[in-house]
Amino acid sequence: MTKPGNVARTVMLDGLQELIDALLGRGYTVFGPTVVDGVIDYRPITSVTQLPQGWGDVQDNASYRLRRRDDDAVFAFACGAQSAKPVLFPADELLWRARLGGAEPEIERAVDDKPAPPYAFLGLRSCDLAAIGIHDRVLSSRQFGDTHYALRREDTLIVAVTCTDPAGTCFCVSMDTGPVPRSGFDLAVTELYADGPHRFVVEAGTPRGEELLDQVASTAASDEDLVAAERVGAEAAARMGRVLDGTNLKDLLYDNTESPVWDDVASRCLRCTNCTLVCPTCFCTSITDASDLTGTTAERHRVWDSCFSEEYSYIHGGAVRESGRSRYRQWMTHKLAAWHDQFGSSGCVGCGRCITWCPAAIDITAEVAELRRLAEQRQRPQEARP
Amino acid sequence: MTTDQTSAVQMTNDHKVGAQRKPTLAVWKFASCDGCQLTLLNCEDELLSIAGAVDIAYFPEATRAVAEGPYDVSLVEGSITTPHDAERIREVRAMSGTLVTIGACATAGGIQALRNLTDVYEFRSIVYAHPEYVQTLDRSTPIAAHVDVDLELRGCPIDKGQLLETLAALLAGRKPRIPTYSVCVECKKRNNVCVAVAHGTPCLGPVTQAGCGALCPSFSRGCYGCFGPQDSANLPAMTDRLRAQGMREPEVVRLYRTFNTGAEAFRAESARVATHPAAAHPAASTQTTRGSAEEAPA
């Protein structure tokens, strides 16, 4: 796992606390995994005791359950309920506020209620790391960047972890994004809890990460630890709960816009928007303006939007995509096909959240498989009829 | 009969902030519990701003002082359940500039629309010693079934924030931001954990219109559908999921038949499930959920 030239050290649980302390000491708000209301999700933390020690998860279509592990692992769960998106790209972003005091309105750069930046993430998965890479490309590398995202992102420090116990809805191997973090991190942690003492192999990916690692009690990672770290990553890769067959996927979607699959999935789809809101790469937003009762204060907000809502495609005269069929097709075709043309990669990182958190139990990997099966059946009518 | 929201905006263009005369506000009650009117009175921090921005000209719940109509804005609570009210709402419409209906009663007929499913005259004869003195209609209907309505605020009761937003928008001559998407959007905005997926709690959030701020799920309860169906509600798919979570047909029917029993999407689906309890959703009967096991072990 460790890249040649990267510093790799072995750290104990106490060292992880020293890492958190070092981050807090540098002014970071540290988002780490913690048990919240029956799930593991990222929240501001200050102590290793807040990590989900001894907790794992069971994820399947429309179902998420915590489970007690028979070890003391702190990172042995699959992806959290949400990714880094709600932190780096908030659901409701106050863009500016204007006040009418004197003759001219004063426009102020809004101070919102979000936790104070800079942010550090502890325990982010490689799927979510890949999603941040996509957001960087979509939101801040193009001609008209998203200033709020770029500012928040610029100072963000990332401590990634190797996923050691993927869930039933995971398919990062299919999307080539995991389960081992390869780039985009300051530090990458691999937790070793199966044999020997409970320990963490930590690799520095940036000078900033290396400098941070120097503040933590550690020993040079032994060859055995490096081998063990590589092994747990490889073992996790072999335990993906789902597969998404990417063969000619773009063409498959572009060529099958009239497939009966869309009608079938639309009959089950609730148009609730959950898939897009938990997707770590979905970035559609709407701009809303509001004024108060006295007419002296106005605010402009950027809020999450979803291609599954009717208002999303509303233009003069009505909504362009009125049917559930057209909305699901739009979402999946953009995510898995048009994204390549637009941004040079797939829009899916294989985190499986859209499967777990779809209350209607719709599975994107199964829909792709069905689309492919029907397309192939149509191409080979002889074979399809026994 | 709801007219486009833009007409509501146009009607107030002549009394924006700064104009000499403050717009007049009237609050009307039909068949209802007064809870939505109380939402207005509960705007404690904002009441002074409201009183500063509009003349509260008719609001018997709050004051005996009555100013003659016509009124610039009328808030109408309650449903139409009597011949007298069916006449009175026409008078209210005639003397109102912008007419905004507030709450599940005014927008869908309310809990009292349960009468629509049965014989109200039989009830009347059981409850009252002299039923001949009680004049009532056999159905409870929303205001929009009788007169043109400019804007509807859903909910049982309505949301204070949506009411203030509507008043602020009418005063500014802009369109109110009243989203018609699902409650799920509000849950995700609040970073709530999904009670349906993570706890297995039956929840009407996916088919219910936002507006409450996801109040019940924020307290780990399933949504009861107080705000009525969202703009693209797929009720048969919802029924399938409620069944998958272990609900039996009578429970499903009862869930749809509460404050918004008269809302068309809820009415139609509850009737379908009640009439054909064993018949699954047409699409669901021919296919199973793709992928692996439906529900993971707890």
Side-chain angles (χ1 to χ4, degrees):
Chain A
M1 57 152 260
T2 45
K3 277 196 192 143
N6 279 1
V7 172
R9 304 192 67 84
T10 298
V11 168
M12 310 307 278
L13 193 58
D14 291 346
L16 222 49
Q17 181 62 52
E18 289 175 22
L19 180 64
I20 294 173
D21 291 340
L23 288 166
L24 293 171
R26 284 164 169 73
Y28 287 99
T29 297
V30 181
F31 286 87
T34 192
V35 172
V36 191
D37 207 9
V39 301
I40 293 165
D41 202 6
Y42 298 92
R43 292 288 189 277
I45 62 163
T46 56
S47 163
V48 289
T49 59
Q50 291 166 279
L51 296 174
Q53 187 157 30
W55 286 105
D57 51 21
V58 182
Q59 301 190 37
D60 210 328
N61 300 46
S63 177
Y64 180 112
R65 295 291 183 275
L66 286 176
R67 71 177 178 90
R68 264 284 171 209
R69 300 181 58 85
D70 51 14
D71 54 44
D72 287 333
V74 295
F75 294 126
F77 57 94
C79 60
Q82 276 284 15
S83 61
K85 183 166 88 168
V87 177
L88 296 176
F89 190 63
D92 185 338
E93 179 121 69
L94 182 54
L95 299 180
W96 52 259
R97 182 185 289 129
R99 285 185 205 280
L100 193 60
E104 291 290 314
E106 289 172 29
I107 295 185
E108 57 188 49
R109 171 75 204 286
V111 178
D112 58 28
D113 55 353
K114 310 284 185 296
Y119 300 138
F121 285 95
L122 174 63
L124 220 53
R125 315 280 136 162
S126 58
C127 51
D128 292 342
L129 217 50
I132 291 175
I134 288 174
H135 268 186
D136 287 350
R137 199 149 56 237
V138 172
L139 298 170
S140 51
S141 76
R142 294 189 296 159
Q143 191 183 355
F144 300 102
D146 184 310
T147 318
H148 290 77
Y149 174 83
L151 279 173
R152 208 174 267 126
R153 175 73 180 96
E154 197 174 66
D155 297 329
T156 298
L157 188 141
I158 295 173
V159 182
V161 295
T162 297
C163 211
T164 57
D165 201 355
T169 47
C170 289
F171 57 102
C172 65
V173 168
S174 298
M175 305 318 291
D176 196 26
T177 62
V180 182
R182 281 173 299 212
S183 61
F185 55 81
D186 295 284
L187 293 172
V189 176
T190 302
E191 183 175 24
L192 300 175
Y193 50 85
D195 347 272
H198 185 197
R199 62 205 188 280
F200 305 86
V201 176
V202 186
E203 175 193 355
T206 60
R208 183 167 65 162
E210 203 174 316
E211 184 262 330
L212 200 62
L213 192 52
D214 283 342
Q215 310 298 307
V216 175
S218 66
T219 55
S222 67
D223 287 346
E224 291 77 30
D225 282 357
L226 291 175
V227 168
E230 198 156 326
R231 194 177 59 237
V232 296
E235 284 171 0
R239 289 206 311 275
M240 290 289 119
R242 294 282 197 282
V243 172
L244 193 148
D245 180 0
T247 317
N248 296 326
L249 189 51
K250 195 171 95 171
D251 291 338
L252 178 74
L253 285 156
Y254 283 164
D255 293 346
N256 287 281
T257 53
E258 300 303 323
S259 171
V261 162
W262 307 121
D263 294 309
D264 182 75
V265 72
S267 73
R268 285 170 281 136
C269 173
L270 292 161
R271 275 78 101 170
C272 63
T273 78
N274 273 302
C275 50
T276 57
L277 303 181
V278 296
C279 176
T281 69
C282 274
F283 58 84
C284 283
T285 54
S286 178
I287 298 292
T288 63
D289 291 337
S291 56
D292 70 350
L293 273 171
T294 59
T296 55
T297 305
E299 289 181 350
R300 172 161 291 186
H301 292 251
R302 183 196 61 198
V303 294
W304 283 357
D305 204 347
S306 169
C307 50
F308 281 89
S309 86
E310 184 171 276
E311 288 167 320
Y312 177 85
S313 73
Y314 185 89
I315 56 170
H316 174 75
V320 175
R321 285 187 284 273
E322 289 195 342
S323 66
R325 174 183 194 270
S326 61
R327 292 182 208 169
Y328 192 87
R329 179 177 59 194
Q330 158 67 23
W331 176 67
M332 202 161 98
T333 306
H334 183 223
K335 185 72 56 187
L336 300 176
W339 208 289
H340 286 279
D341 295 331
Q342 214 179 347
F343 305 116
S345 76
S346 172
C348 176
V349 296
C351 70
R353 287 189 181 90
C354 61
I355 307 172
T356 300
W357 298 100
C358 170
I362 294 168
D363 177 346
I364 189 172
T365 65
E367 299 308 327
V368 167
E370 182 67 359
L371 195 70
R372 194 180 294 283
R373 189 183 70 80
L374 291 178
E376 286 170 359
Q377 198 176 70
R378 220 174 32 252
Q379 279 166 3
R380 296 196 304 268
Q382 307 303 326
E383 290 171 44
R385 281 187 228 113
Chain B
M1 238 194 269
T2 311
T3 56
D4 193 272
Q5 291 180 355
T6 50
S7 61
V9 172
Q10 282 163 1
M11 269 181 274
T12 57
N13 272 348
D14 56 343
H15 48 64
K16 282 183 194 170
V17 176
Q20 292 204 326
R21 185 179 67 85
K22 282 198 285 185
T24 50
L25 177 75
V27 185
W28 308 90
K29 174 188 162 65
F30 288 81
S32 57
C33 77
D34 292 34
C36 293
Q37 296 185 66
L38 281 176
T39 303
L40 181 56
L41 291 174
N42 280 343
C43 295
E44 290 167 359
D45 295 337
E46 298 85 3
L47 267 182
L48 282 177
S49 297
I50 295 172
V54 298
D55 266 333
I56 299 177
Y58 179 84
F59 190 6
E61 174 103 3
T63 171
R64 271 183 287 179
V66 173
E68 290 286 307
Y71 309 99
D72 293 308
V73 178
S74 277
L75 302 178
V76 179
E77 178 198 81
S79 69
I80 303 300
T81 58
T82 67
H84 174 248
D85 276 357
E87 278 309 308
R88 189 162 63 97
I89 188 59
R90 290 177 195 285
E91 292 164 19
V92 169
R93 172 71 271 186
M95 65 174 95
S96 304
T98 300
L99 192 153
V100 181
T101 50
I102 57 171
C105 299
T107 60
I111 190 82
Q112 60 272 27
L114 285 170
R115 72 165 63 178
N116 302 1
L117 302 163
T118 181
D119 182 1
V120 72
Y121 300 110
E122 195 183 326
F123 287 159
R124 189 175 57 171
S125 64
I126 294 168
V127 172
Y128 298 101
H130 289 281
E132 65 273 20
Y133 294 138
V134 180
Q135 280 201 320
T136 190
L137 298 170
D138 63 345
R139 289 166 56 78
S140 170
T141 44
I143 300 300
H146 299 263
V147 296
D148 282 346
V149 169
D150 298 301
L151 184 71
E152 291 185 334
L153 290 186
R154 304 268 197 87
C156 184
I158 54 166
D159 175 72
K160 173 181 143 177
Q162 286 204 334
L163 178 63
L164 291 169
E165 161 63 14
T166 300
L167 292 176
L170 291 174
L171 285 164
R174 64 173 171 85
K175 186 178 172 182
R177 295 171 307 152
I178 306 296
T180 54
Y181 48 57
S182 75
V183 170
C184 300
V185 177
E186 296 190 313
C187 260
K188 288 294 179 287
K189 283 184 177 171
R190 291 183 68 147
N191 229 349
N192 282 347
V193 170
C194 176
V195 299
V197 169
H199 307 165
T201 304
C203 177
L204 286 184
V207 293
T208 301
Q209 181 169 306
C212 61
L215 190 57
C216 292
S218 299
F219 291 92
S220 294
R221 301 289 295 267
C223 167
Y224 293 94
C226 302
F227 275 64
Q230 58 124 321
D231 61 30
S232 312
N234 183 353
L235 269 299
M238 186 78 247
T239 299
D240 283 350
R241 297 311 302 162
L242 295 172
R243 281 197 178 106
Q245 284 174 315
M247 278 189 121
R248 299 177 63 82
E249 285 74 14
E251 296 172 297
V252 173
V253 170
R254 192 175 168 143
L255 196 57
Y256 293 139
R257 288 181 177 169
T258 61
F259 320 102
N260 285 284
T261 180
E264 179 50 26
F266 287 2
R267 186 206 62 75
E269 179 63 4
S270 66
R272 189 185 70 87
V273 180
T275 315
H276 307 287
H281 164 209
S285 60
T286 56
Q287 52 90 49
T288 52
T289 305
R290 295 189 192 125
S292 70
E294 178 94 334
E295 300 291 335

